[in-house]
């Protein structure tokens, strides 16, 4: 909707036109984002939002002739308001995007919810609300920041961020929640930052399900795909597809016995369950086996070759046992869209 930045294009007007099509004014009103006096709230939001298209800092932006009527404090008062519900705002915009995507898609197209988190660094910050010490498992370094948990909707072509939550680790550095009105959105989000991430995922699924958003599967990586998650997601009549850790602490029920993932792998690699050598070499899928959780939810485990480390395997699981192994792998591969989203958002 927004073309690439060009000197001959009024970036702000282009962004305004795109967001107006998505119901910007209605979204601001629904999220209680308003001002009692001064410059119109919509203009403040658009000025902040269009900065990335201009490639300017806030100080350079307000000192230019684009917005001579802006005061410096307008931005700070706008961003630190405890009553603004940004989750509702993003949800309103996202629902409009999903509506437009559904009009362009076939009704039978598979739709999924994708959950993932990423470190959000605030290096050098020590007084930011609810900031904590975060360990990055990719770079194997620690720094001050948050973990950004995101829920996105996808139809296979488009990715729409639908819900989010900032979470803190147990190494909390700054907690400014004591002097804040407990009735405000800001206080609730601070308390949410201390909630276990898996519980936040279940709350998001329930919220999105109650909104009437159509989705067939929930996709998660190994940080969230525990046996209890299959039972919890199934309560919304939705199936979970996720990667399971190769851990002896994670176990499922097979033939009446509780067996860990390494034990199930040994069983699945027997000739009775194993795929032919030709199929395994072509698709990378070694074998499949159907197990149960302790609550009785049936789960199909797909053991596949780890492309990054051929001598190891990965486990992709699905509570929809009617899917073939190839279909499970194909649907789970859509989770990569959230990684692309994080790269663009951080940029």
């Amino acid at each position: 909707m927004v073309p690439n930045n060009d000197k001959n294009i009024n970036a702000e007007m282009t962004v305004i036109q795109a967001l107006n099509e998505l119901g910007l004014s209605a979204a601001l009103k629904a999220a209680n984002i308003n001002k009692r006096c001064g410059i119109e709230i919509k203009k403040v939001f658009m000025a902040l939002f269009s900065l990335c298209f201009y490639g300017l800092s806030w100080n350079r932006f307000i000192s230019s002739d684009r917005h001579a009527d802006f005061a410096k404090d307008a931005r700070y008062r706008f961003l630190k308001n405890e009553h603004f519900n940004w989750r509702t705002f993003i949800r309103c915009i996202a629902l409009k995007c999903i509506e437009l995507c559904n009009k362009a898609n076939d009704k039978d197209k598979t739709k999924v919810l994708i959950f993932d988190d990423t470190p959000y660094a605030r290096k050098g910050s020590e007084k930011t609300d609810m900031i904590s010490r975060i360990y990055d498992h990719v770079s194997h370094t620690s720094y001050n920041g948050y973990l950004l948990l995101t829920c996105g909707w996808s139809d296979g072509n488009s990715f729409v961020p639908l819900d989010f939550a900032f979470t803190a680790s147990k190494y909390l550095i700054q907690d400014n929640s004591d002097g804040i009105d407990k009735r405000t959105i800001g206080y609730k989000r601070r308390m949410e930052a201390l909630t276990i991430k898996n519980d936040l995922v279940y709350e998001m699924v329930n919220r999105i399900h109650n909104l009437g958003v159509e989705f067939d599967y929930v996709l998660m990586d190994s940080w969230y795909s525990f046996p209890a998650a299959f039972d919890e997601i199934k309560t919304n009549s939705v199936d979970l597809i996720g990667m399971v850790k190769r851990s002896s602490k994670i176990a499922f029920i097979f033939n009446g016995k509780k067996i860990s993932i390494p034990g199930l792998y040994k069983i699945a690699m027997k000739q009775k369950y194993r795929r032919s050598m030709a199929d395994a070499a072509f698709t990378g899928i070694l074998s499949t086996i159907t197990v149960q959780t302790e609550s009785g939810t049936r789960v199909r485990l797909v053991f596949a070759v780890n492309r990054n480390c051929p001598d190891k395997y990965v486990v992709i699981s699905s509570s929809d046992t009617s899917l073939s192994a190839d279909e499970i792998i194909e649907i789970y591969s859509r989770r990569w869209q959230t990684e692309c989203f994080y790269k663009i958002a951080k940029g």
Side-chain angles (χ1 to χ4, degrees), residues 73-232:
D73 293 339
R75 173 201 182 202
Y76 301 107
R77 289 195 301 268
F78 178 80
L79 293 178
K80 72 178 184 180
N81 194 301
E82 303 289 341
H83 300 275
F84 293 173
N85 194 334
W86 290 106
R87 172 176 285 155
T88 299
F89 173 79
I90 291 178
R91 184 177 63 199
C92 292
I93 297 294
L95 290 177
K96 186 63 177 179
C97 291
I98 292 174
E99 180 184 344
L100 295 174
C101 292
N102 284 332
K103 289 181 179 179
N105 291 332
D106 298 331
K107 292 183 178 181
D108 297 334
K109 199 173 185 66
T110 301
K111 306 173 184 66
V112 297
L113 286 184
I114 305 173
F115 285 90
D116 201 3
D117 61 64
T118 185
Y120 184 77
R122 294 294 300 269
K123 298 180 180 179
S125 300
E126 293 185 355
K127 296 184 178 180
T128 307
D129 290 350
M130 304 306 294
I131 198 168
S132 62
R133 198 69 180 164
I134 299 295
Y135 179 75
D136 191 342
H137 293 270
V138 177
S139 61
H140 300 288
T141 57
S142 297
Y143 46 78
N144 296 349
Y146 308 93
L147 277 176
L148 173 58
L149 172 61
T150 305
C151 170
W153 178 93
S154 174
D155 59 0
N157 298 320
S158 304
F159 179 85
V160 181
L162 194 54
D163 205 341
F164 74 99
F166 282 105
T167 63
S169 71
K170 61 181 179 180
Y171 304 106
L172 190 63
I173 298 174
Q174 186 62 260
D175 184 0
N176 295 332
S177 58
D178 293 338
I180 299 175
D181 189 343
K182 295 183 179 181
R183 297 170 297 180
T184 62
I185 298 296
Y187 180 83
K188 295 176 182 178
R189 296 308 288 269
R190 285 170 172 81
M191 295 299 100
E192 184 181 74
L194 303 176
T195 307
I196 299 174
K197 290 190 297 182
N198 289 65
D199 294 338
L200 292 177
V201 168
Y202 305 148
E203 292 176 7
M204 288 183 183
V205 173
N206 291 332
R207 277 199 299 268
I208 295 170
H209 185 268
N210 293 335
L211 288 173
V213 178
E214 295 181 0
F215 57 96
D216 303 298
Y217 301 100
V218 175
L219 308 185
M220 300 179 184
D221 64 4
S222 58
W223 291 102
Y224 303 95
S225 301
F226 292 93
F230 292 92
D231 300 325
E232 189 69 31

Side-chain angles (χ1 to χ4, degrees), residues 336-347:
W336 181 251
Q337 292 180 327
T338 189
E339 303 293 346
C340 299
F341 163 73
Y342 283 142
K343 182 178 181 180
I344 295 172
K346 289 182 177 181

